Amino acid sequence: RIHEFPFGELTMQTIDLSALIGSRICHDLISPISAIGNGVELMELSGIERTPEIDLIAQSVENANARIRFFRIAFGKRGTGGKIAKSDIIGPLAALSGGGRVNFLWPSVSDSDRDDVQLVFLALLCIETALPLGGDVTVQHHAGQFEIHARAKRINAPVEYWNALRDRPVTADLPASHVQFALLPQLAKQAERQIDVVTDTEAGHIMIRL
């Protein structure tokens, strides 16, 4: 659990250092995970039978690669500029959807500013925590704003974390799995974007607007 930096005391220097650490970890993990995937392909080319065990390894490698590519954008250093290609946005989202309980859709996505995609990815991570049984998450972009909508049979959005996005006091300790709730409002403020959050647990709907 993270105790050293309460929500209100996170500085941009802290975030930049965390971003560099996250990028380094992702960079170092990509090669060995890809090597496992290449090994599976070589085994198949050698004529080995495609067993359930091989399928499990191949799927796990694909999911790990997708998650690392996703994290590299979400937790990377902000303000580096440049664009992210459409394929580099859709690829991780499609792989995560295929291997997880949450279905991520970004229908009108195109090549996008890296900083904008980072905010959206962090918002997706926030929403993912509220869908214990899975659900459908859709990203929309219009009038210069992003809206991320989630619909599911069950919504679990503990107020102690979601208050961080609403710029309200947060009393609970922040577990590492929820660090996105600290990063998103800090980076949105840097980008001069207002965060709006709507949760309707009875209707099974949650929305984040950036």
Side-chain angles (χ1 to χ4, degrees):
R1 301 178 74 85
I2 298 177
H3 299 281
E4 293 84 351
F5 303 108
F7 285 104
E9 298 178 11
L10 272 170
T11 64
M12 289 315 301
Q13 289 82 1
T14 301
I15 291 175
D16 286 345
L17 180 58
S18 299
L20 291 173
I21 294 171
S23 295
R24 172 60 189 268
I25 292 172
C26 290
H27 178 271
D28 287 359
L29 286 178
I30 281 286
S31 293
I33 290 177
S34 297
I36 296 173
N38 292 337
V40 172
E41 291 181 4
L42 290 174
M43 290 171 64
E44 293 177 342
L45 291 175
S46 68
I48 191 173
E49 181 184 357
R50 183 81 182 206
T51 64
E53 292 81 5
I54 296 295
D55 286 337
L56 179 59
I57 294 173
Q59 184 180 11
S60 297
V61 168
E62 181 181 0
N63 292 341
N65 262 320
R67 183 66 68 168
I68 288 175
R69 284 184 287 150
F70 186 97
F71 284 165
R72 199 171 188 176
I73 295 172
F75 296 113
K77 183 173 172 56
R78 185 170 177 80
T80 55
K83 296 274 189 178
I84 294 183
K86 174 181 178 180
S87 60
D88 290 332
I89 299 172
I90 292 179
L93 293 180
L96 291 175
S97 298
R101 66 184 186 279
V102 181
N103 184 35
F104 296 102
L105 298 173
W106 194 337
S108 59
V109 66
S110 58
D111 294 359
S112 304
D113 290 338
R114 182 182 183 86
D115 290 349
D116 286 343
V117 178
Q118 181 180 27
L119 293 176
V120 171
F121 277 16
L122 286 171
L124 291 176
L125 288 174
C126 290
I127 285 181
E128 185 181 37
T129 67
L131 309 178
L133 302 180
D136 296 318
V137 181
T138 304
V139 179
Q140 300 174 355
H141 184 220
H142 52 80
Q145 287 188 317
F146 292 94
E147 286 189 359
I148 300 96
H149 293 267
R151 297 195 176 276
K153 292 182 179 180
R154 179 184 171 192
I155 298 290
N156 181 24
V159 67
E160 59 265 28
Y161 302 134
W162 288 84
N163 273 347
L165 303 186
R166 298 184 174 100
D167 200 22
R168 297 176 185 172
V170 178
T171 57
D173 289 334
L174 177 67
S177 59
H178 287 55
V179 67
Q180 57 269 22
F181 286 94
L183 289 175
L184 179 55
Q186 291 287 328
L187 298 184
K189 184 178 295 185
Q190 182 186 3
E192 299 182 345
R193 285 184 178 270
Q194 179 71 37
I195 301 177
D196 295 319
V197 179
V198 176
T199 57
D200 189 338
T201 55
E202 292 186 3
H205 176 245
I206 189 167
M207 184 272 292
I208 296 178
R209 182 185 295 115
L210 297 165

